[in-house]
């Protein structure tokens, strides 16, 4: 019996002593049985417990300190030493940057080669090269030429700011009115770099624009790389951008346009903002992103007169991001301060441009800054805090609208009123017979996108993958917002296995931004050039992001295969398959574009410009369609009566009045209009006079008849009320009274030039 009792005592001692040795079992049992002894030893027990807790704390601290060493040992066992990890990160960064820069350079070379093949640019004379710039592009390049011809840069700038040699009877500040800062920069670089003896001015000019397009592509590459973590997404972004070039850029037929100069800076700003919004960003990277956002935002404002509208859409995206507390509030408000700084400096340097003061961006930013002190944190998860959050949103919107209304009341502005009228008519809130308004509504870029646009995006597989990525991200963001409303805090670090891509603030920003731009693109086809590049970027990021696939697998509750492994495999396999299919289908087409010689030759326009330079007096003023007047100003330097600009009420009225040469007005009426603008020569374009447009009612002559009340449409029947024939037809007949006011001096297959008689001779 004794032999069996001793082991049982050890087991009891071991169980009661919490794993202590058997030698201590008897004394512990005696202390438990003697209350007096227990009372005497209680302080000692508490002391021992305190020592035990202290030892545990020290052990935990030591284990935490040893964690990196153990991790390094584990990495070394796997063949990944700290030095190896550093080299791996450096190699990834180096090759990613190399791929981004190479992609941008190759795209710039591609554009240059395509432009050469399309226009035979190097084999043309200077006049034939300049004819390739049409409409407003011709005006921008003509001022670049004038800057280079000026005796000094200061004198050239003064002549542009006090310009009275472009439009008859009008002195304009061309730098402010036409946003000529790109031309100022290009002329300074051309002269300061000593390129006069190396390269012709036109090649230097278009070379800068093509280089900026390369920067544009590089910025999109970097944005998708930052979001996905792999530069494979950047390569796919560039591939989709080039394949859908028809819908991503206007560079093919409008090289000097303001958006081609400005959008590369906006792309850099978006890339920097994407990095700036990321969580757990080290201080040096955060400071670099902040400075880049600052510089690119200001440059963007200076390069494009409509830049503040696009920044307003971005500010609304950040406002919604901040409202749901999905990003650091301080970072978002730092971006607001950048907007404010850019608008103020832009206002001062753009000769006190009132359009920036009455812009919706300024009103929204001021309202946000004013309401910042009232913003409540949603982390409190109380009914009162959520109610105050709603009140905060209402306050911001109310203050912004009220402030914008007051600014427009007290600050004189006329530059953008026609845009508001256009929006009213476009939304069906108003109707008008105004020629300019209806002409703008008939422009293809201001109409809803056609089915061909969506078909092209689908054929390149861009649209289906974009919709898939957008749906996954949108649902994930909705889940995160619902959790925030319920009071659940965001995770500081989102891991791959969490499957919560909607908790990353930079992703939420891009989702909101692309939805807003997409809504605009669905209304106006011209907005597709702002939306489609970010469609390429977002779709490429999604298919290359393991986190997005993991989010999808979390919803599907995939258990048959390890979801993390499958997400990593798909993030590599899917973009690879897409890349190979795009290469097989579209690469031969791109190579055909580069090897195929296209012919662009307009002998009638060349003959007209040659005749003007040789026969017309130097002080002559030409009248005609605004698009043709821009080309005449560029190619000849002669003064014109109108220009293709739509940000000035006086110019808009001039354009409408001079377009009357294609209406049913009398010879006397047209003569009075032209002499009021001191015009000496009139150019009639046969393509406008005999225009057969695809949409009846959108031709220039139809719009003029509607505006003048010469045609009334009732139930499909047209009733003409003008007693005069169409002027552009009647003047070609050479009979009275037209020959009394106008004398034909030149004509070819496309153009008829008439001298406006100063002395009227009445012939029978």
């Amino acid at each position: 019996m004794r032999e069996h009792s001793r082991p049982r005592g050890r087991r009891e001692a071991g169980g009661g002593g919490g794993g202590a040795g058997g030698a201590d079992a008897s004394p512990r049992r005696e202390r438990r049985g003697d209350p007096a002894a227990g009372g005497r030893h209680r302080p000692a027990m508490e002391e021992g417990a305190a020592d035990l807790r202290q030892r545990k704390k020290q052990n935990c601290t030591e284990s935490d300190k040893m964690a990196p060493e153990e991790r390094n040992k584990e990495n070394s066992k796997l063949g990944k030493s700290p030095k190896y990890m550093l080299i791996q990160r450096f190699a990834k960064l180096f090759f990613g940057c190399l791929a981004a820069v190479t992609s941008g350079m190759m795209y710039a070379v591609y554009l240059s080669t395509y432009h050469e093949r399309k226009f035979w640019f190097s084999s043309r004379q200077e006049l034939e090269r300049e004819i390739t710039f049409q409409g407003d592009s011709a005006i921008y390049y003509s001022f670049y030429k004038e800057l280079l011809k000026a005796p000094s840069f200061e004198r050239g700038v003064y002549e542009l700011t006090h310009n009275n040699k472009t439009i008859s009877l009008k002195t304009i500040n061309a730098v402010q009115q036409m946003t000529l800062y790109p031309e100022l920069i290009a002329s300074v670089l051309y002269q300061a770099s000593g390129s006069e003896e190396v390269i012709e001015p036109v090649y230097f000019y278009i070379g800068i624009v093509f280089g900026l397009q390369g920067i544009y592509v590089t910025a999109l590459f970097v944005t998708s790389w930052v979001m996905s973590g792999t530069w494979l997404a950047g390569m796919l972004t560039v591939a989709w951008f080039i394949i859908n070039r028809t819908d991503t850029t206007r560079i093919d037929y409008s090289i000097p346009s303001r958006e081609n100069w400005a959008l590369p800076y906006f792309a850099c700003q978006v890339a920097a903002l994407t990095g700036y919004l990321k969580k757990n960003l080290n201080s040096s990277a955060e400071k670099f992103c902040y400075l880049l956002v600052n510089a690119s935002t200001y440059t963007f404002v200076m390069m494009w007169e409509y830049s503040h509208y696009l920044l307003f859409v971005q500010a609304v995206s950040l406002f919604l991001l901040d409202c749901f507390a999905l990003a650091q509030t301080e970072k978002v408000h730092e971006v607001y301060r950048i907007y404010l700084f850019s608008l103020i400096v832009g206002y001062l340097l753009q000769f006190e441009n009132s359009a920036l003061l009455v812009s919706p961006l300024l009103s929204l930013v001021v309202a946000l800054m004013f309401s910042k002190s009232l913003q409540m944190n949603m982390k409190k998860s109380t009914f009162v805090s959520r109610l105050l959050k709603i009140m905060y949103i209402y306050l911001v919107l109310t203050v912004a609208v009220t402030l914008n209304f007051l600014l427009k009341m007290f600050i004189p502005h006329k530059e953008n009123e026609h845009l508001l009228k256009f929006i009213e008519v476009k939304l069906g809130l108003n109707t008008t017979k105004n020629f300019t308004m209806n002409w703008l509504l008939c422009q293809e870029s201001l109409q809803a996108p056609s089915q061909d646009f969506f078909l092209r995006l689908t054929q390149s597989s861009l649209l289906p993958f974009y919709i898939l990525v957008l749906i996954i991200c949108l649902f994930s963001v909705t889940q995160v917002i619902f959790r925030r409303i319920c009071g659940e805090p965001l995770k500081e670090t989102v891991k791959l296995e969490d499957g919560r891509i909607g908790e990353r603030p930079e992703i939420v920003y891009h989702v909101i931004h692309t939805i807003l731009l997409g809504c605009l693109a669905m209304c106006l086809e011209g907005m597709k050039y702002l939306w489609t590049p970010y469609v390429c970027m977002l779709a490429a990021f999604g298919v290359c992001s393991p986190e997005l696939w993991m989010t999808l697998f979390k919803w599907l509750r995939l258990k048959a295969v390890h979801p993390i492994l499958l997400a990593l495999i798909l993030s590599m396999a899917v973009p690879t398959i897409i890349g190979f299919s795009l290469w097989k289908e579209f690469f031969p087409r791109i190579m055909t574009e580069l090897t195929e010689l296209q012919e662009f030759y307009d002998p009638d326009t060349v003959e007209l410009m040659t005749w003007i330079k040789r026969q017309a007096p130097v002080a002559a003023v030409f009248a005609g369609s605004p698009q043709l007047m821009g080309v005449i100003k560029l190619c000849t330097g002669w003064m014109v009566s109108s220009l293709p600009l739509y940000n000035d009420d006086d110019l808009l009225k001039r354009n409408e009045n001079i377009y009357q040469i294609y209406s049913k007005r009398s010879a006397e009426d047209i003569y009075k209009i032209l002499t009021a603008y001191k015009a000496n020569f009139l150019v009639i374009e046969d393509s406008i006079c005999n225009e057969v447009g695809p949409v009846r009612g959108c031709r220039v002559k139809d719009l003029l008849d509607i505006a003048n009340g010469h045609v009334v449409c009732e139930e499909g029947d047209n009733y003409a009320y003008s007693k005069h024939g169409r002027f552009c037809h009647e003047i070609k007949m050479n009979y009275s009274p037209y020959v009394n006011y106008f004398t034909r001096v030149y004509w070819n297959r496309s153009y008829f030039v008439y001298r406006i008689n100063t002395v009227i001779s009445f012939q029978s």
Side-chain angles (χ1 to χ4, degrees), residues 47 56 80 157 230 308 513 553 595 607 663 757:
E47 214 172 11
K56 284 183 178 179
K80 295 183 179 180
V157 173
T230 171
H308 54 89
H513 197 194
F553 296 154
T595 56
E607 291 174 6
S663 68
N757 298 331

Side-chain angles (χ1 to χ4, degrees), residues 201-214:
V202 64
Y203 281 109
F204 187 84
Y205 185 88
I206 65 175
I208 293 178
V209 180
F210 290 156
L212 285 173
Q213 298 306 302

Side-chain angles (χ1 to χ4, degrees), residues 490-704:
L490 294 177
K491 289 189 174 183
E492 289 296 327
T493 304
V494 180
K495 298 179 181 178
L496 177 59
E497 56 268 20
D498 294 334
R500 292 188 179 185
I501 198 168
E503 288 195 8
R504 293 173 55 187
E506 70 274 17
I507 305 300
V508 183
Y509 156 70
H510 279 287
V511 169
I512 300 173
H513 197 194
T514 189
I515 290 175
L516 294 179
L517 289 177
C519 292
L520 294 174
M522 295 305 103
C523 299
L524 305 173
E525 187 170 0
M527 294 297 295
K528 69 181 181 181
Y529 300 108
L530 304 177
W531 178 61
T532 314
Y534 296 98
V535 170
C536 300
M537 182 271 298
L538 195 68
F541 139 74
V543 297
C544 297
S545 174
E547 199 171 351
L548 182 131
W549 294 108
M550 192 64 199
T551 303
L552 179 61
F553 296 154
K554 277 285 185 179
W555 294 340
L556 299 176
R557 297 182 179 179
L558 187 65
K559 295 181 180 179
V561 184
H562 198 285
I564 297 180
L565 179 62
L566 185 59
L568 291 171
I569 293 174
L570 287 178
S571 65
M572 295 291 292
V574 173
T576 303
I577 294 171
I578 295 173
F580 275 117
S581 63
L582 294 178
W583 178 278
K584 183 179 179 181
E585 183 175 357
F586 292 97
F587 183 73
R589 301 184 190 180
I590 293 175
M591 295 307 297
T592 302
E593 285 182 350
L594 295 180
T595 56
E596 200 174 57
L597 286 174
Q598 303 181 38
E599 185 173 359
F600 177 86
Y601 188 55
D602 190 356
D604 294 341
T605 305
V606 172
E607 291 174 6
L608 173 64
M609 301 304 158
T610 304
W611 179 87
I612 292 174
K613 294 175 73 173
R614 292 177 179 175
Q615 303 295 330
V618 177
V621 177
F622 282 81
S625 70
Q627 287 71 25
L628 180 62
M629 294 302 100
V631 179
I632 289 177
K633 174 60 183 172
L634 168 61
C635 297
T636 67
W638 264 244
M639 191 178 293
V640 294
S641 58
S642 61
L643 286 177
L645 300 172
Y646 309 102
N647 58 355
D648 182 83
D649 288 342
D650 180 63
L651 287 177
L652 289 174
K653 190 64 179 176
R654 278 181 179 240
N655 293 345
E656 182 178 354
N657 289 338
I658 294 176
Y659 261 129
Q660 297 296 324
I661 61 179
Y662 301 105
S663 68
K664 297 178 180 180
R665 300 280 293 271
S666 66
E668 184 180 1
D669 290 343
I670 302 300
Y671 181 81
K672 288 179 179 178
I673 291 173
L674 297 177
T675 52
Y677 295 119
K678 301 297 181 182
N680 305 115
F681 290 90
L682 170 65
V683 183
I684 299 289
E685 296 176 67
D686 206 46
S687 59
I688 300 178
C689 189
N690 299 318
E691 182 181 7
V692 182
V695 181
R696 186 174 178 82
C698 274
R699 298 177 299 183
V700 170
K701 52 187 179 183
D702 296 336
L703 296 175
L704 288 168

Side-chain angles (χ1 to χ4, degrees), residues 30 115 228 244 328 354 356 435 493 503 574 728:
E30 288 173 5
H115 182 261
S228 64
N244 296 281
Q328 297 180 25
S354 59
L356 295 179
F435 167 79
T493 304
E503 288 195 8
V574 173
C728 61

